Amino acid sequence: MQTRILKHLTKYNILGTEQYGFRIGLKTDNAIYKLTAEILNAMNNKLLAGGIFCDLEKAFDCVDHDILLSKLKFYGISGKDLALFHSYLDNRHFRTAIYNDSDNSNKVSSWAKVRHGVLQGSVLEPLLFLLYINDLPKIINKTSAPISFADDTSILFAHSHLMDLKKKTFT
């Protein structure tokens, strides 16, 4: 299934070119080169460069299932493939158990539905995460140069005047 979905994403060029993580043939070096080239390009054009550097903490845990499923559908995943993703994400539950050595007691919470996060440890989760954040660069591309490596995103801005750069960066 993963191969079929990767072929679909590649055929329709769905994954953004700004994302360098979890992709065949793209490494940290490529993202660093792009970041450095953007800064040097601004300097060569006598522009000031500014940036915002973001790192999502526990990124795979932030994935909202409903949003992910709607994005999969938007990207053309349908039929049995979409149903498989739905069953993979839906109806998962968790609870917490605490064992106390001092009095040999167990405390167990009630079961709760998992609404966010993708399971970690397989080859499918990075792809699901990339699809989840895939539209971020498209939203900010008009005013900046976004560069992403997995869950790390650098957003670069360039302008000839400091006050305009500040406005561009913080609005």
Side-chain angles (χ1 to χ4, degrees), residues 31-130:
I32 293 169
Y33 176 81
K34 176 69 173 169
L35 179 72
T36 305
E38 290 290 336
I39 293 169
L40 290 174
N41 186 43
M43 292 171 67
N44 287 338
N45 290 312
K46 308 238 186 287
L47 299 173
L48 299 167
I52 299 173
F53 302 93
C54 310
D55 179 15
L56 289 177
E57 186 174 287
K58 299 184 180 183
F60 284 14
D61 295 338
C62 299
V63 176
D64 180 283
H65 295 172
D66 293 332
I67 294 171
L68 177 60
L69 288 168
S70 69
K71 286 185 177 194
L72 288 170
K73 189 174 182 180
F74 175 79
Y75 290 133
I77 308 300
S78 61
K80 290 180 183 178
D81 290 334
L82 186 61
L84 184 61
F85 279 114
H86 195 287
S87 70
Y88 173 74
L89 295 169
D90 200 31
N91 288 324
R92 290 190 306 147
H93 293 78
F94 75 97
R95 69 179 180 174
T96 304
I98 300 172
Y99 179 74
N100 187 340
D101 270 341
S102 63
D103 63 1
N104 287 335
S105 66
N106 288 331
K107 304 253 190 240
V108 180
S109 70
S110 302
W111 286 100
K113 186 172 182 176
V114 176
R115 298 185 193 298
H116 296 87
V118 289
L119 296 173
Q120 297 174 38
S122 83
V123 293
L124 188 57
E125 284 67 37
L127 176 61
L128 293 175
F129 178 75
L130 290 186

